[in-house]
Amino acid sequence: MIIMYAQGTNTSNKQALTWFKLRGIEMREEKMYKMTRENLLHILALTDQGFSEVLKHRAGEGTLLKNKLDAISSLSFNESVDFIMKNPEVLRSPIIFEENKLLVGYNSEEIRKFMPQKYRKGVIKARTQ
């Protein structure tokens, strides 16, 4: 099952939801603060760059969020995971994943990896409603 963790109503979240709906691809949307530790660990295992791939970038963020992001850099792995579980606002949004696929943020090319194989082979056309 594809799971999309999101916070707020930013453009990336809306685009990802629309993309899945237009193609009739089943997925489950969850609020970022409901992320389980197990799912966070699974997401981190799917990354190439670890925490830096899923955390917001310091530039353009408010002072409080910058301080939280700075705090993570001095923590151990388990402490960082605990910190993120208590402060999910430090995560980028959306985070979309399933068993062995991950997309952080919205990218119109990368999101295609969640398309079932029958779509990719052109057997079934995407709905354009």
Side-chain angles (χ1 to χ4, degrees), residues 4-120:
M4 179 177 121
Y5 282 108
Q7 55 191 357
T9 56
N10 67 36
T11 303
S12 294
N13 295 341
K14 290 177 186 176
Q15 288 174 317
L17 278 174
T18 299
W19 189 90
F20 285 111
K21 284 180 184 176
L22 285 175
R23 285 151 186 84
I25 298 172
E26 190 176 326
M27 53 84 72
R28 187 174 82 224
E29 181 184 10
E30 295 282 343
K31 298 294 182 193
M32 200 70 78
Y33 66 87
K34 291 187 176 183
M35 183 180 294
T36 64
R37 182 180 182 88
E38 179 182 311
N39 279 348
L40 178 57
L41 292 173
H42 182 77
I43 289 165
L44 289 168
L46 293 173
T47 66
D48 292 327
Q49 302 167 351
F51 290 110
S52 64
E53 198 168 324
V54 297
L55 293 174
K56 289 184 177 178
H57 303 290
R58 286 169 179 81
E61 299 298 340
T63 305
L64 182 60
L65 192 54
K66 281 182 187 178
N67 291 342
K68 288 180 179 184
L69 291 166
D70 288 339
I72 291 174
S73 63
S74 63
L75 300 175
S76 70
F77 179 84
N78 284 326
E79 290 171 333
S80 294
V81 170
D82 291 341
F83 186 88
I84 291 169
M85 294 304 299
K86 292 177 186 166
N87 299 279
E89 66 275 9
V90 300
L91 293 169
R92 293 176 60 198
S93 183
I95 296 177
I96 306 166
F97 75 102
E98 64 178 340
E99 187 177 327
N100 60 353
K101 300 172 190 167
L102 172 69
L103 178 63
V104 180
Y106 175 80
N107 178 303
S108 61
E109 296 297 319
E110 294 281 325
I111 199 167
R112 293 178 187 194
K113 68 175 89 177
F114 294 101
M115 198 177 278
Q117 190 172 10
K118 57 188 173 186
Y119 277 94
R120 291 192 306 262

